[in-house]
Amino acid sequence: DAGVIQSPRHEVTEMGQEVTLRCKPISGHDYLFWYRQTMMRGLELLIYFNNNVPIDDSGMPEDRFSAKMPNASFSTLKIQPSEPRDSAVYFCASSLGQGARGYTFGSGTRLTVV
Amino acid sequence: SQKIEQNSEALNIQEGKTATLTCNYTNYSPAYLQWYRQDPGRGPVFLLLIRENEKEKRKERLKVTFDTTLKQSLFHITASQPADSATYLCALDDSNTGKLIFGQGTTLQVKP
């Protein structure tokens, strides 16, 4: 398995533009997580899915953020409109079960909003 | 308030020595605690999980302890090597929400 695949690796966009981040989890994993990492706040959980269903989105900072998982092999995190304070590294992770066996993280998308 | 604390200062040690990293938590009752390694520009990589009823877990040169009375986990790397240089994150499950909550990480630098 190629692991969790995220795209793009880097994204630079102007304030106000829509940004879409993509994730392909490990085949067979039933949980998918979106985290954001910044120097100030570390790794923060934004939202997670179980069997493609959103379970907890309480970490999503604002209505500008939305996430979908249309099938077991694909998820998106969308920011519309983007703001400079959204600049961070966004990680997708997947796991078999809720985490008692560890999460597998992707390489992340570094987002810069100018 | 709930907190997970790892030493924010980098830990610098000499090759061959044992590195010990600390993770303390407040106002959580985790069923398990995990340790991850993160290299620059990469995602965290899962290393070890220890459950609340386990005092110690080992994997090759790694050893993790978990003291639920002290609310602390220690992560040891024996016979450290320069290749062990990275940031190490602890994470615990929030039993109220089921979420995995991460500490800020401690950067380890092993000098040859």
Side-chain angles (χ1 to χ4, degrees), chain A residues 68-86:
Chain A
K68 292 182 180 179
M69 192 166 185
N71 56 62
S73 58
F74 185 64
S75 177
T76 59
L77 178 68
K78 187 177 292 186
I79 309 173
Q80 163 68 17
S82 57
E83 296 183 3
R85 58 191 166 128
D86 301 331

Side-chain angles (χ1 to χ4, degrees), chain B residues 8 28 30-31 38-39 86 89 93 103 112:
Chain B
S8 58
Y28 284 108
Q38 186 173 22
D39 291 285
L89 302 158
D93 71 301

